[in-house]
Amino acid sequence: SLSQTVFPLCLTQRSASDYNNFDREFLSEKPKLSYSDKNLIESMDQSAFDGFSFINPKFEQILDK
């Protein structure tokens, strides 16, 4: 049962923006957007996304290109 499970590692988080449990090398990498091939995406069945209308406002400029 879950009450008998012992977890070997219990990380603490001081705040919502606490990043101390992340690898320093990972944190030093410059963030970048993933590349997506528009032709590949358009060739795939997109019916799973029917009715999905959310677009992150921060990415609208990128999508307009």
Side-chain angles (χ1 to χ4, degrees):
S1 79
L2 288 177
S3 62
Q4 297 174 349
T5 303
V6 178
F7 295 100
L9 180 62
C10 186
L11 302 174
T12 58
Q13 187 176 7
R14 296 184 195 116
S15 69
S17 61
D18 182 5
Y19 55 84
N20 287 310
N21 294 316
F22 285 92
D23 181 73
R24 295 286 177 215
E25 184 179 347
F26 170 77
L27 292 173
S28 68
E29 293 181 15
K30 184 177 178 180
K32 57 185 173 184
L33 293 175
S34 299
Y35 170 77
S36 59
D37 183 341
K38 186 174 181 176
N39 293 327
L40 174 64
I41 292 171
E42 289 177 352
S43 72
M44 298 170 71
D45 179 15
Q46 297 292 309
S47 63
F49 301 103
D50 287 348
F52 184 78
S53 62
F54 177 79
I55 297 177
N56 185 335
K58 293 179 182 177
F59 294 117
E60 285 181 327
Q61 298 168 8
I62 295 169
L63 294 174
D64 289 337
K65 290 182 179 179

